[in-house]
Amino acid sequence: MSEPRSAEHPVLQTHGLSIRFGGHVAVNQVSCAFHPGTLTAIVGPNGAGKTTYFNLISGQLRPSAGRVTLYGEDITALAAPQRTRRGMGRAFQLTNLFPQLSVLENVRLAVQSHAGMGMNLFSVWASHVELIERAEHYLYRVKLADRRDAPAAALAHGDQRKLEVAILLALDPDLFMFDEPTAGMSVDEVPVILELIHEIKNQGDKTILLVEHKMDVVRSLADRIIVLHQGELVADGEPAQVIASPIVQQAYLGLVGHE
Amino acid sequence: MIRTLLSGDYPRSRALSVLLLAILAGLALAPFVFPGTRSLDVAAKVCVFILLVASYDLLLGYTGIVSFAHTMFFGIGAYGVAIAVSRLGPSWGSLVLGSLAALACSALLALLIGVLSLRVKTIFFAMITLAVASFFAILASQLSGFTGGEDGLTYKLPELLLPGTKLLQAPLAGVEINGKIVSYYLVFFAAAALFLALLRVVNSPFGRVLQAIRENDFRAEAIGYRSVFYRSAANCVAALAASAAGILYAIWLRYAGPDTTLSLDIMMDVLLMVVIGGMGTMYGAVVGATLFVIAQNYLQDLMKLASDAAAGIPFVPALLHPDRWLLWLGILFILSVYRFPAGIVGKLRSK
């Protein structure tokens, strides 16, 4: 049953979401709801299942058990492209671009997907000025406008990360999923991305999920933190409270040491 | 005008522009510049193969699909015309009917192959297409009552297209204007128009999605493009263009048989033409097909001249004997693939 889109109802909900790879349970019975206008940080040690959880949400993987709902609609059976068309957008942890296409083309393909123009066979792509202008706008926002004609493969790592974010922006989703957006970026590049995430958050109606390792980033951006550990959701709450909780000190920050 | 015709996709190299213009002029004026049955045959074959190779490049170079079923669609086009015309008589109506039936049949088959098997990995898809194409070739040679078997079908066409039909009393520029010239120009203009249509498709929003899928299908899916859907659509477009090439070839030859259309040897030739010309650029098809077809037809003559000239020198005449032409063609290919891995067009553009 589809519920009305309002602030009280979650945008996205996972219900007992699990995935098993052979004997290994990578995500175990994770139930969580995400509300519009909030930024939730997902933290946990390496191998905790954060990216796998993301893959289950955005449709790259199918769960062994459990359901994913978007605005109350069960989307568990939908493939990634269909989820994207319903308003989910994802930036990947490992840079994932179209290497031989130009920077502009990378973004323009996302704009074109959002405009639903993929099956247009008989017009020249370059004649769709409005799509190109929008793509340029997103490049401008991530400060890549001057590299628009370079092939994506020729960009420095930090710039590729920015392009990754520009592609996500170009999809204009309701639900943004960032998987360690600043990983591997130099110190002076990080603020550009954080500023963008701030801007999206300040729009007020967007829902943001953020996987992030840097605690200062999480502290400055998140309204809420959930902690995954060995595939299970072990803590959920306000940032200060979660960071201070013993389970996080132990599981994530490793201050108590390993067994 | 030129921008619209070329869909904004210019040759981007002076040498390439000159080469393409030379090929265009040569083909446009072939009946007058290269008179004679044989050279006109070669010119018509070049036109047909440019279209066939361009449509294959849409799959291989632009979408990253390796298919061995392309000559099957080529054959469906040729047999469509051949069967319709030999059964229903040499009228324009049966020619059009046969063409439409062939195009419909190809589109359906391409869609079926695409939807059923484009989910699998590249290599398995290639194997499936190989199996389907072999099956089709065997079918055509076994159903001899319908397809003429190994002998193929020879048929008459509407009068306007027959060599015996004279259109002008006096020769024009020393060339008699007959039905053969009409069919040549039919082939030439149809191939040119369809080539430009393919050039448009690869430069359309759809064409860019195909390139995105070739580059990174995982990411293409993540930004909302269903790759199976787009690959199947590309497969259909390519199959339709290949069938159109088959239709034109059947009109030109007034014959359709396993060796002229369905055989896997032709598939290999097409593959080589794409690679020699340059994958992922439509102009590569023009250059590759032209060079290959000309080499295929004239290398033997050239070798005979060389062999005769070298008479008296030991060993050399034997090496240059016309029967060794395949050896030399092979050496030319190996050299060109080594020297120009991005094809001739890639090489010219990189300068």
Side-chain angles (χ1 to χ4, degrees), chain A residues 43-62:
Chain A
V43 302
N46 285 327
K50 305 183 296 291
T51 296
T52 309
Y53 186 51
F54 257 30
N55 283 336
L56 289 170
I57 292 174
S58 59
Q60 272 77 28
L61 290 173
R62 297 296 164 85

Side-chain angles (χ1 to χ4, degrees), chain A residues 84 96 100 109 113 125 164, chain B residues 208 215-216 219 222-223 225:
Chain A
T84 303
N96 211 326
Q100 301 303 317
L109 277 159
S113 169
W125 71 269
E164 183 78 40
Chain B
R208 294 297 148 140
E215 293 281 300
N216 187 345
R219 186 56 193 245
I223 62 172
Y225 299 113

Side-chain angles (χ1 to χ4, degrees), chain B:
Chain B
M1 171 72 177
I2 286 184
R3 186 185 172 82
T4 310
L5 275 180
L6 299 184
S7 310
D9 186 356
Y10 299 108
R12 301 207 309 273
S13 145
R14 181 165 296 184
L16 180 59
S17 307
V18 170
L19 185 60
L20 290 171
L21 281 174
I23 292 172
L24 177 67
L27 291 175
L29 301 172
F32 303 98
V33 188
F34 311 110
T37 318
R38 183 168 169 214
S39 52
L40 202 57
D41 260 336
V42 172
K45 195 176 175 187
V46 168
C47 294
V48 168
F49 273 79
I50 286 175
L51 178 58
L52 183 63
V53 172
S55 65
Y56 191 62
D57 196 31
L58 173 69
L59 285 184
L60 185 69
Y62 284 87
T63 321
I65 296 176
V66 181
S67 163
F68 290 109
H70 213 58
T71 47
M72 175 178 83
F73 296 116
F74 187 51
I76 289 175
Y79 274 98
V81 168
I83 292 170
V85 173
S86 46
R87 300 246 154 184
L88 305 173
S91 70
W92 289 101
S94 50
L95 189 61
V96 171
L97 187 71
S99 306
L100 291 180
L103 291 173
C105 179
S106 287
L108 205 67
L109 196 58
L111 196 66
L112 207 66
I113 294 179
V115 171
L116 291 182
S117 47
L118 274 170
R119 288 169 196 279
V120 301
K121 287 215 164 62
T122 316
I123 181 72
F124 297 114
F125 180 75
M127 291 300 118
I128 289 168
T129 56
L130 189 59
V132 175
S134 310
F135 168 76
F136 227 79
I138 293 168
L139 200 66
S141 71
Q142 295 298 311
L143 287 176
S144 48
F146 197 51
T147 60
E150 289 294 332
D151 296 334
L153 292 168
T154 311
Y155 42 86
K156 284 198 157 194
L157 284 176
E159 210 172 330
L160 181 63
L161 301 175
L162 296 178
T165 312
K166 279 188 194 167
L167 277 92
L168 293 177
Q169 288 305 318
L172 183 72
V175 178
E176 188 184 282
I177 306 303
N178 59 21
K180 204 70 189 165
I181 307 282
V182 176
S183 359
Y184 177 77
Y185 279 108
L186 176 67
V187 170
F188 172 77
F189 283 111
L194 289 168
F195 173 80
L196 291 176
L198 286 174
L199 190 62
R200 172 59 61 93
V201 169
V202 299
N203 285 294
S204 69
F206 172 76
R208 294 297 148 140
V209 178
L210 299 185
Q211 282 172 283
I213 288 171
R214 174 197 70 194
E215 293 281 300
N216 187 345
D217 60 345
F218 174 83
R219 186 56 193 245
E221 292 250 333
I223 62 172
Y225 299 113
R226 299 204 70 173
S227 58
V228 175
F229 180 77
Y230 283 91
R231 284 194 178 122
S232 300
N235 206 30
C236 275
V237 173
L240 282 172
S243 292
I247 290 166
L248 296 178
Y249 208 33
I251 289 174
W252 175 254
L253 292 175
R254 281 174 288 127
Y255 166 79
D259 293 338
T260 55
T261 53
L262 281 176
S263 104
L264 279 172
D265 291 350
I266 300 175
M267 191 64 245
M268 292 301 128
D269 291 350
V270 168
L271 203 60
L272 285 169
M273 291 183 221
V274 170
V275 173
I276 290 169
M279 267 197 279
T281 145
M282 284 286 142
Y283 297 118
V286 179
V287 177
T290 307
L291 286 182
F292 189 97
V293 174
I294 289 176
Q296 214 178 18
N297 284 279
Y298 292 107
L299 195 61
Q300 266 179 298
D301 294 358
L302 203 69
M303 288 175 59
K304 180 154 173 41
L305 286 177
S307 177
D308 291 349
I313 310 171
F315 189 61
V316 177
L319 200 64
L320 292 175
H321 192 275
D323 287 349
R324 309 257 187 282
W325 74 281
L326 265 177
L327 171 75
W328 287 99
L329 199 61
I331 290 174
L332 279 179
F333 290 146
I334 293 169
L335 283 180
S336 71
V337 171
Y338 260 104
R339 299 289 304 158
F340 318 121
I344 293 170
V345 169
K347 182 76 183 171
L348 289 176
R349 277 183 173 169
S350 71
K351 270 181 186 168

